[in-house]
Amino acid sequence: MEHFSKVADMDVSELQSTIEEFSERFGELPLRTSYEGSSHTEVEDILFRGPDLWIGYDLLQLQNEIQCYSYPNWFDIETVAWYAMEVFKGVEGTQLGRVIVTRLPAGGKIYEHKDEGDAAEHYDRFHLVIKGGEGDIFHSGGESVTMNTGELWQVDNMNNHSVENNMTEERVHMVLDIQRN
């Protein structure tokens, strides 16, 4: 496959429990979901790391911001930080960018789009599947994969891509942007 690469399998049972415990935090800061024309209108996110929000919410500025900072959730929910750092070390990262836990309800979609801007060019995109399985389908560049719980995938987000959740339960992924040598 050209647009997907399965990197590892991980035990995410502790991460699942933690996300369940903090589920009220989904949607607190709707950066990716609320702007006009968003492909992510059906998801809810918990943001852990990202661009400096003091620069404002201008989409173009946020897309071009490479430097990322830890948000309060990073410190409040240590289990997420631990898993993110395990992925970072496992893929031999040199710079950690955005870290988001995103939830897509059963029957939900992330509409076709491609990530643009300096940040998308600077980082590789990884998905750690917290809740997935048959029906969690990710499409990119004419290829499709089913993503199962515990799998870590590298995804080509610079190509047109979309997601459909045909499962009977929510789909939950940790999305990580990592620069590597």
PDB file of all heavy atoms in Angstrom, residues 29-58:
ATOM      1  N   LEU A  29     -13.141  22.091  22.914  1.00  0.00           N
ATOM      2  CA  LEU A  29     -12.490  23.091  22.062  1.00  0.00           C
ATOM      3  C   LEU A  29     -12.645  22.630  20.607  1.00  0.00           C
ATOM      4  O   LEU A  29     -11.835  21.859  20.103  1.00  0.00           O
ATOM      5  CB  LEU A  29     -11.012  23.221  22.446  1.00  0.00           C
ATOM      6  CG  LEU A  29     -10.235  24.376  21.845  1.00  0.00           C
ATOM      7  CD1 LEU A  29     -10.874  25.721  22.193  1.00  0.00           C
ATOM      8  CD2 LEU A  29      -8.798  24.359  22.363  1.00  0.00           C
ATOM      9  N   PRO A  30     -13.689  23.085  19.922  1.00  0.00           N
ATOM     10  CA  PRO A  30     -14.031  22.555  18.594  1.00  0.00           C
ATOM     11  C   PRO A  30     -13.247  23.193  17.443  1.00  0.00           C
ATOM     12  O   PRO A  30     -13.831  23.623  16.445  1.00  0.00           O
ATOM     13  CB  PRO A  30     -15.525  22.852  18.496  1.00  0.00           C
ATOM     14  CG  PRO A  30     -15.706  24.094  19.303  1.00  0.00           C
ATOM     15  CD  PRO A  30     -14.705  24.001  20.433  1.00  0.00           C
ATOM     16  N   LEU A  31     -11.933  23.227  17.547  1.00  0.00           N
ATOM     17  CA  LEU A  31     -11.118  23.865  16.505  1.00  0.00           C
ATOM     18  C   LEU A  31     -11.320  23.251  15.125  1.00  0.00           C
ATOM     19  O   LEU A  31     -11.477  23.962  14.148  1.00  0.00           O
ATOM     20  CB  LEU A  31      -9.631  23.760  16.857  1.00  0.00           C
ATOM     21  CG  LEU A  31      -9.063  24.762  17.831  1.00  0.00           C
ATOM     22  CD1 LEU A  31      -7.562  24.545  17.983  1.00  0.00           C
ATOM     23  CD2 LEU A  31      -9.336  26.174  17.392  1.00  0.00           C
ATOM     24  N   ARG A  32     -11.258  21.924  15.035  1.00  0.00           N
ATOM     25  CA  ARG A  32     -11.333  21.274  13.725  1.00  0.00           C
ATOM     26  C   ARG A  32     -12.757  21.115  13.228  1.00  0.00           C
ATOM     27  O   ARG A  32     -12.971  20.814  12.053  1.00  0.00           O
ATOM     28  CB  ARG A  32     -10.706  19.872  13.784  1.00  0.00           C
ATOM     29  CG  ARG A  32      -9.264  19.840  14.073  1.00  0.00           C
ATOM     30  CD  ARG A  32      -8.649  18.466  13.898  1.00  0.00           C
ATOM     31  NE  ARG A  32      -9.463  17.372  14.387  1.00  0.00           N
ATOM     32  CZ  ARG A  32      -9.469  16.152  13.862  1.00  0.00           C
ATOM     33  NH1 ARG A  32      -8.716  15.867  12.822  1.00  0.00           N
ATOM     34  NH2 ARG A  32     -10.213  15.201  14.382  1.00  0.00           N
ATOM     35  N   THR A  33     -13.724  21.274  14.095  1.00  0.00           N
ATOM     36  CA  THR A  33     -15.085  20.884  13.743  1.00  0.00           C
ATOM     37  C   THR A  33     -16.026  22.042  13.441  1.00  0.00           C
ATOM     38  O   THR A  33     -17.065  21.831  12.830  1.00  0.00           O
ATOM     39  CB  THR A  33     -15.696  20.063  14.893  1.00  0.00           C
ATOM     40  OG1 THR A  33     -15.732  20.867  16.077  1.00  0.00           O
ATOM     41  CG2 THR A  33     -14.875  18.820  15.159  1.00  0.00           C
ATOM     42  N   SER A  34     -15.679  23.254  13.857  1.00  0.00           N
ATOM     43  CA  SER A  34     -16.669  24.329  13.814  1.00  0.00           C
ATOM     44  C   SER A  34     -16.460  25.363  12.713  1.00  0.00           C
ATOM     45  O   SER A  34     -17.324  26.203  12.510  1.00  0.00           O
ATOM     46  CB  SER A  34     -16.702  25.044  15.167  1.00  0.00           C
ATOM     47  OG  SER A  34     -15.441  25.606  15.450  1.00  0.00           O
ATOM     48  N   TYR A  35     -15.348  25.312  12.004  1.00  0.00           N
ATOM     49  CA  TYR A  35     -15.160  26.334  10.970  1.00  0.00           C
ATOM     50  C   TYR A  35     -15.957  25.973   9.713  1.00  0.00           C
ATOM     51  O   TYR A  35     -16.247  24.805   9.454  1.00  0.00           O
ATOM     52  CB  TYR A  35     -13.677  26.555  10.647  1.00  0.00           C
ATOM     53  CG  TYR A  35     -12.983  25.392   9.983  1.00  0.00           C
ATOM     54  CD1 TYR A  35     -12.971  25.260   8.600  1.00  0.00           C
ATOM     55  CD2 TYR A  35     -12.323  24.427  10.736  1.00  0.00           C
ATOM     56  CE1 TYR A  35     -12.344  24.197   7.982  1.00  0.00           C
ATOM     57  CE2 TYR A  35     -11.683  23.358  10.131  1.00  0.00           C
ATOM     58  CZ  TYR A  35     -11.704  23.249   8.759  1.00  0.00           C
ATOM     59  OH  TYR A  35     -11.081  22.192   8.155  1.00  0.00           O
ATOM     60  N   GLU A  36     -16.315  26.986   8.950  1.00  0.00           N
ATOM     61  CA  GLU A  36     -17.120  26.790   7.743  1.00  0.00           C
ATOM     62  C   GLU A  36     -16.371  25.912   6.745  1.00  0.00           C
ATOM     63  O   GLU A  36     -15.210  26.137   6.446  1.00  0.00           O
ATOM     64  CB  GLU A  36     -17.438  28.140   7.107  1.00  0.00           C
ATOM     65  CG  GLU A  36     -18.416  28.038   5.965  1.00  0.00           C
ATOM     66  CD  GLU A  36     -18.799  29.399   5.404  1.00  0.00           C
ATOM     67  OE1 GLU A  36     -18.848  30.374   6.190  1.00  0.00           O
ATOM     68  OE2 GLU A  36     -19.037  29.472   4.192  1.00  0.00           O
ATOM     69  N   GLY A  37     -17.030  24.875   6.261  1.00  0.00           N
ATOM     70  CA  GLY A  37     -16.431  23.973   5.283  1.00  0.00           C
ATOM     71  C   GLY A  37     -15.624  22.843   5.899  1.00  0.00           C
ATOM     72  O   GLY A  37     -14.957  22.098   5.182  1.00  0.00           O
ATOM     73  N   SER A  38     -15.672  22.683   7.206  1.00  0.00           N
ATOM     74  CA  SER A  38     -14.903  21.626   7.865  1.00  0.00           C
ATOM     75  C   SER A  38     -15.344  20.248   7.391  1.00  0.00           C
ATOM     76  O   SER A  38     -16.534  19.969   7.259  1.00  0.00           O
ATOM     77  CB  SER A  38     -15.077  21.714   9.385  1.00  0.00           C
ATOM     78  OG  SER A  38     -14.488  20.588  10.007  1.00  0.00           O
ATOM     79  N   SER A  39     -14.373  19.380   7.163  1.00  0.00           N
ATOM     80  CA  SER A  39     -14.647  17.980   6.825  1.00  0.00           C
ATOM     81  C   SER A  39     -14.894  17.157   8.077  1.00  0.00           C
ATOM     82  O   SER A  39     -15.258  15.994   7.999  1.00  0.00           O
ATOM     83  CB  SER A  39     -13.456  17.388   6.068  1.00  0.00           C
ATOM     84  OG  SER A  39     -13.247  18.097   4.878  1.00  0.00           O
ATOM     85  N   HIS A  40     -14.672  17.774   9.251  1.00  0.00           N
ATOM     86  CA  HIS A  40     -14.717  17.060  10.537  1.00  0.00           C
ATOM     87  C   HIS A  40     -15.950  17.416  11.371  1.00  0.00           C
ATOM     88  O   HIS A  40     -15.931  17.302  12.585  1.00  0.00           O
ATOM     89  CB  HIS A  40     -13.451  17.379  11.338  1.00  0.00           C
ATOM     90  CG  HIS A  40     -12.197  16.949  10.674  1.00  0.00           C
ATOM     91  ND1 HIS A  40     -11.498  17.775   9.824  1.00  0.00           N
ATOM     92  CD2 HIS A  40     -11.525  15.783  10.720  1.00  0.00           C
ATOM     93  CE1 HIS A  40     -10.435  17.121   9.373  1.00  0.00           C
ATOM     94  NE2 HIS A  40     -10.440  15.913   9.891  1.00  0.00           N
ATOM     95  N   THR A  41     -17.037  17.816  10.725  1.00  0.00           N
ATOM     96  CA  THR A  41     -18.195  18.301  11.470  1.00  0.00           C
ATOM     97  C   THR A  41     -18.855  17.225  12.337  1.00  0.00           C
ATOM     98  O   THR A  41     -19.562  17.556  13.283  1.00  0.00           O
ATOM     99  CB  THR A  41     -19.258  18.881  10.515  1.00  0.00           C
ATOM    100  OG1 THR A  41     -19.595  17.877   9.542  1.00  0.00           O
ATOM    101  CG2 THR A  41     -18.746  20.128   9.820  1.00  0.00           C
ATOM    102  N   GLU A  42     -18.624  15.960  12.028  1.00  0.00           N
ATOM    103  CA  GLU A  42     -19.291  14.888  12.776  1.00  0.00           C
ATOM    104  C   GLU A  42     -18.428  14.321  13.901  1.00  0.00           C
ATOM    105  O   GLU A  42     -18.868  13.409  14.602  1.00  0.00           O
ATOM    106  CB  GLU A  42     -19.725  13.779  11.815  1.00  0.00           C
ATOM    107  CG  GLU A  42     -20.765  14.256  10.810  1.00  0.00           C
ATOM    108  CD  GLU A  42     -21.284  13.160   9.905  1.00  0.00           C
ATOM    109  OE1 GLU A  42     -21.269  11.968  10.305  1.00  0.00           O
ATOM    110  OE2 GLU A  42     -21.703  13.492   8.772  1.00  0.00           O
ATOM    111  N   VAL A  43     -17.220  14.819  14.082  1.00  0.00           N
ATOM    112  CA  VAL A  43     -16.352  14.304  15.150  1.00  0.00           C
ATOM    113  C   VAL A  43     -16.379  15.231  16.351  1.00  0.00           C
ATOM    114  O   VAL A  43     -16.789  16.386  16.262  1.00  0.00           O
ATOM    115  CB  VAL A  43     -14.875  14.115  14.693  1.00  0.00           C
ATOM    116  CG1 VAL A  43     -14.779  13.237  13.466  1.00  0.00           C
ATOM    117  CG2 VAL A  43     -14.185  15.446  14.468  1.00  0.00           C
ATOM    118  N   GLU A  44     -15.931  14.685  17.471  1.00  0.00           N
ATOM    119  CA  GLU A  44     -15.647  15.472  18.665  1.00  0.00           C
ATOM    120  C   GLU A  44     -14.219  15.140  19.063  1.00  0.00           C
ATOM    121  O   GLU A  44     -13.804  13.984  18.995  1.00  0.00           O
ATOM    122  CB  GLU A  44     -16.580  15.112  19.813  1.00  0.00           C
ATOM    123  CG  GLU A  44     -18.008  15.549  19.618  1.00  0.00           C
ATOM    124  CD  GLU A  44     -18.846  15.227  20.830  1.00  0.00           C
ATOM    125  OE1 GLU A  44     -18.862  14.042  21.228  1.00  0.00           O
ATOM    126  OE2 GLU A  44     -19.463  16.141  21.373  1.00  0.00           O
ATOM    127  N   ASP A  45     -13.473  16.164  19.468  1.00  0.00           N
ATOM    128  CA  ASP A  45     -12.061  15.997  19.791  1.00  0.00           C
ATOM    129  C   ASP A  45     -11.775  16.349  21.244  1.00  0.00           C
ATOM    130  O   ASP A  45     -12.453  17.190  21.834  1.00  0.00           O
ATOM    131  CB  ASP A  45     -11.194  16.938  18.931  1.00  0.00           C
ATOM    132  CG  ASP A  45     -11.276  16.646  17.450  1.00  0.00           C
ATOM    133  OD1 ASP A  45     -11.458  15.476  17.075  1.00  0.00           O
ATOM    134  OD2 ASP A  45     -11.143  17.605  16.659  1.00  0.00           O
ATOM    135  N   ILE A  46     -10.725  15.728  21.763  1.00  0.00           N
ATOM    136  CA  ILE A  46     -10.045  16.212  22.955  1.00  0.00           C
ATOM    137  C   ILE A  46      -8.657  16.608  22.472  1.00  0.00           C
ATOM    138  O   ILE A  46      -7.928  15.779  21.928  1.00  0.00           O
ATOM    139  CB  ILE A  46      -9.926  15.154  24.065  1.00  0.00           C
ATOM    140  CG1 ILE A  46     -11.288  14.583  24.462  1.00  0.00           C
ATOM    141  CG2 ILE A  46      -9.218  15.752  25.283  1.00  0.00           C
ATOM    142  CD1 ILE A  46     -11.215  13.443  25.476  1.00  0.00           C
ATOM    143  N   LEU A  47      -8.303  17.872  22.633  1.00  0.00           N
ATOM    144  CA  LEU A  47      -7.018  18.376  22.157  1.00  0.00           C
ATOM    145  C   LEU A  47      -5.978  18.279  23.274  1.00  0.00           C
ATOM    146  O   LEU A  47      -6.218  18.742  24.388  1.00  0.00           O
ATOM    147  CB  LEU A  47      -7.154  19.816  21.685  1.00  0.00           C
ATOM    148  CG  LEU A  47      -8.213  20.067  20.604  1.00  0.00           C
ATOM    149  CD1 LEU A  47      -8.249  21.541  20.236  1.00  0.00           C
ATOM    150  CD2 LEU A  47      -7.948  19.223  19.382  1.00  0.00           C
ATOM    151  N   PHE A  48      -4.830  17.708  22.945  1.00  0.00           N
ATOM    152  CA  PHE A  48      -3.750  17.542  23.909  1.00  0.00           C
ATOM    153  C   PHE A  48      -2.537  18.401  23.572  1.00  0.00           C
ATOM    154  O   PHE A  48      -1.877  18.920  24.459  1.00  0.00           O
ATOM    155  CB  PHE A  48      -3.339  16.062  23.997  1.00  0.00           C
ATOM    156  CG  PHE A  48      -4.387  15.226  24.636  1.00  0.00           C
ATOM    157  CD1 PHE A  48      -5.389  14.638  23.880  1.00  0.00           C
ATOM    158  CD2 PHE A  48      -4.411  15.054  26.005  1.00  0.00           C
ATOM    159  CE1 PHE A  48      -6.385  13.884  24.480  1.00  0.00           C
ATOM    160  CE2 PHE A  48      -5.398  14.314  26.625  1.00  0.00           C
ATOM    161  CZ  PHE A  48      -6.390  13.725  25.850  1.00  0.00           C
ATOM    162  N   ARG A  49      -2.225  18.493  22.298  1.00  0.00           N
ATOM    163  CA  ARG A  49      -1.121  19.340  21.835  1.00  0.00           C
ATOM    164  C   ARG A  49      -1.534  19.972  20.524  1.00  0.00           C
ATOM    165  O   ARG A  49      -2.257  19.369  19.731  1.00  0.00           O
ATOM    166  CB  ARG A  49       0.160  18.522  21.628  1.00  0.00           C
ATOM    167  CG  ARG A  49       0.863  18.128  22.908  1.00  0.00           C
ATOM    168  CD  ARG A  49       2.153  17.354  22.639  1.00  0.00           C
ATOM    169  NE  ARG A  49       3.041  18.025  21.715  1.00  0.00           N
ATOM    170  CZ  ARG A  49       3.908  18.991  22.023  1.00  0.00           C
ATOM    171  NH1 ARG A  49       4.005  19.415  23.251  1.00  0.00           N
ATOM    172  NH2 ARG A  49       4.675  19.525  21.094  1.00  0.00           N
ATOM    173  N   GLY A  50      -1.026  21.187  20.292  1.00  0.00           N
ATOM    174  CA  GLY A  50      -1.330  21.857  19.046  1.00  0.00           C
ATOM    175  C   GLY A  50      -0.676  23.217  19.001  1.00  0.00           C
ATOM    176  O   GLY A  50       0.146  23.557  19.859  1.00  0.00           O
ATOM    177  N   PRO A  51      -1.047  24.009  18.015  1.00  0.00           N
ATOM    178  CA  PRO A  51      -0.452  25.340  17.861  1.00  0.00           C
ATOM    179  C   PRO A  51      -0.837  26.256  19.009  1.00  0.00           C
ATOM    180  O   PRO A  51      -1.809  26.009  19.729  1.00  0.00           O
ATOM    181  CB  PRO A  51      -1.012  25.832  16.535  1.00  0.00           C
ATOM    182  CG  PRO A  51      -2.231  25.027  16.291  1.00  0.00           C
ATOM    183  CD  PRO A  51      -2.034  23.720  16.979  1.00  0.00           C
ATOM    184  N   ASP A  52      -0.081  27.309  19.149  1.00  0.00           N
ATOM    185  CA  ASP A  52      -0.334  28.314  20.172  1.00  0.00           C
ATOM    186  C   ASP A  52      -1.685  28.971  19.892  1.00  0.00           C
ATOM    187  O   ASP A  52      -1.846  29.649  18.885  1.00  0.00           O
ATOM    188  CB  ASP A  52       0.791  29.346  20.154  1.00  0.00           C
ATOM    189  CG  ASP A  52       0.657  30.398  21.226  1.00  0.00           C
ATOM    190  OD1 ASP A  52      -0.329  30.369  21.991  1.00  0.00           O
ATOM    191  OD2 ASP A  52       1.550  31.257  21.305  1.00  0.00           O
ATOM    192  N   LEU A  53      -2.643  28.773  20.768  1.00  0.00           N
ATOM    193  CA  LEU A  53      -3.985  29.301  20.537  1.00  0.00           C
ATOM    194  C   LEU A  53      -4.071  30.803  20.743  1.00  0.00           C
ATOM    195  O   LEU A  53      -5.060  31.427  20.376  1.00  0.00           O
ATOM    196  CB  LEU A  53      -4.992  28.576  21.427  1.00  0.00           C
ATOM    197  CG  LEU A  53      -5.110  27.086  21.129  1.00  0.00           C
ATOM    198  CD1 LEU A  53      -6.129  26.440  22.051  1.00  0.00           C
ATOM    199  CD2 LEU A  53      -5.484  26.843  19.675  1.00  0.00           C
ATOM    200  N   TRP A  54      -3.013  31.393  21.291  1.00  0.00           N
ATOM    201  CA  TRP A  54      -3.004  32.844  21.444  1.00  0.00           C
ATOM    202  C   TRP A  54      -2.901  33.546  20.092  1.00  0.00           C
ATOM    203  O   TRP A  54      -3.210  34.721  19.981  1.00  0.00           O
ATOM    204  CB  TRP A  54      -1.849  33.292  22.353  1.00  0.00           C
ATOM    205  CG  TRP A  54      -2.084  32.897  23.765  1.00  0.00           C
ATOM    206  CD1 TRP A  54      -1.448  31.912  24.457  1.00  0.00           C
ATOM    207  CD2 TRP A  54      -3.046  33.438  24.664  1.00  0.00           C
ATOM    208  NE1 TRP A  54      -1.949  31.801  25.726  1.00  0.00           N
ATOM    209  CE2 TRP A  54      -2.934  32.739  25.878  1.00  0.00           C
ATOM    210  CE3 TRP A  54      -3.990  34.448  24.573  1.00  0.00           C
ATOM    211  CZ2 TRP A  54      -3.732  33.025  26.988  1.00  0.00           C
ATOM    212  CZ3 TRP A  54      -4.787  34.724  25.668  1.00  0.00           C
ATOM    213  CH2 TRP A  54      -4.648  34.021  26.859  1.00  0.00           C
ATOM    214  N   ILE A  55      -2.493  32.804  19.044  1.00  0.00           N
ATOM    215  CA  ILE A  55      -2.424  33.427  17.719  1.00  0.00           C
ATOM    216  C   ILE A  55      -3.818  33.579  17.118  1.00  0.00           C
ATOM    217  O   ILE A  55      -3.987  34.204  16.092  1.00  0.00           O
ATOM    218  CB  ILE A  55      -1.506  32.660  16.743  1.00  0.00           C
ATOM    219  CG1 ILE A  55      -2.057  31.261  16.419  1.00  0.00           C
ATOM    220  CG2 ILE A  55      -0.088  32.592  17.259  1.00  0.00           C
ATOM    221  CD1 ILE A  55      -1.278  30.519  15.344  1.00  0.00           C
ATOM    222  N   GLY A  56      -4.805  32.975  17.751  1.00  0.00           N
ATOM    223  CA  GLY A  56      -6.180  33.071  17.279  1.00  0.00           C
ATOM    224  C   GLY A  56      -6.606  31.788  16.596  1.00  0.00           C
ATOM    225  O   GLY A  56      -5.882  30.793  16.594  1.00  0.00           O
ATOM    226  N   TYR A  57      -7.777  31.812  16.016  1.00  0.00           N
ATOM    227  CA  TYR A  57      -8.352  30.626  15.411  1.00  0.00           C
ATOM    228  C   TYR A  57      -8.386  30.710  13.888  1.00  0.00           C
ATOM    229  O   TYR A  57      -9.171  30.027  13.257  1.00  0.00           O
ATOM    230  CB  TYR A  57      -9.756  30.381  15.952  1.00  0.00           C
ATOM    231  CG  TYR A  57      -9.779  30.100  17.423  1.00  0.00           C
ATOM    232  CD1 TYR A  57     -10.354  30.975  18.314  1.00  0.00           C
ATOM    233  CD2 TYR A  57      -9.192  28.946  17.917  1.00  0.00           C
ATOM    234  CE1 TYR A  57     -10.367  30.711  19.673  1.00  0.00           C
ATOM    235  CE2 TYR A  57      -9.192  28.668  19.271  1.00  0.00           C
ATOM    236  CZ  TYR A  57      -9.779  29.554  20.144  1.00  0.00           C
ATOM    237  OH  TYR A  57      -9.784  29.292  21.482  1.00  0.00           O
ATOM    238  N   ASP A  58      -7.567  31.543  13.305  1.00  0.00           N
ATOM    239  CA  ASP A  58      -7.515  31.652  11.853  1.00  0.00           C
ATOM    240  C   ASP A  58      -6.983  30.336  11.288  1.00  0.00           C
ATOM    241  O   ASP A  58      -5.873  29.906  11.617  1.00  0.00           O
ATOM    242  CB  ASP A  58      -6.606  32.824  11.453  1.00  0.00           C
ATOM    243  CG  ASP A  58      -6.477  32.930   9.953  1.00  0.00           C
ATOM    244  OD1 ASP A  58      -7.389  33.478   9.314  1.00  0.00           O
ATOM    245  OD2 ASP A  58      -5.447  32.447   9.419  1.00  0.00           O
TER     246      ASP A  58
END
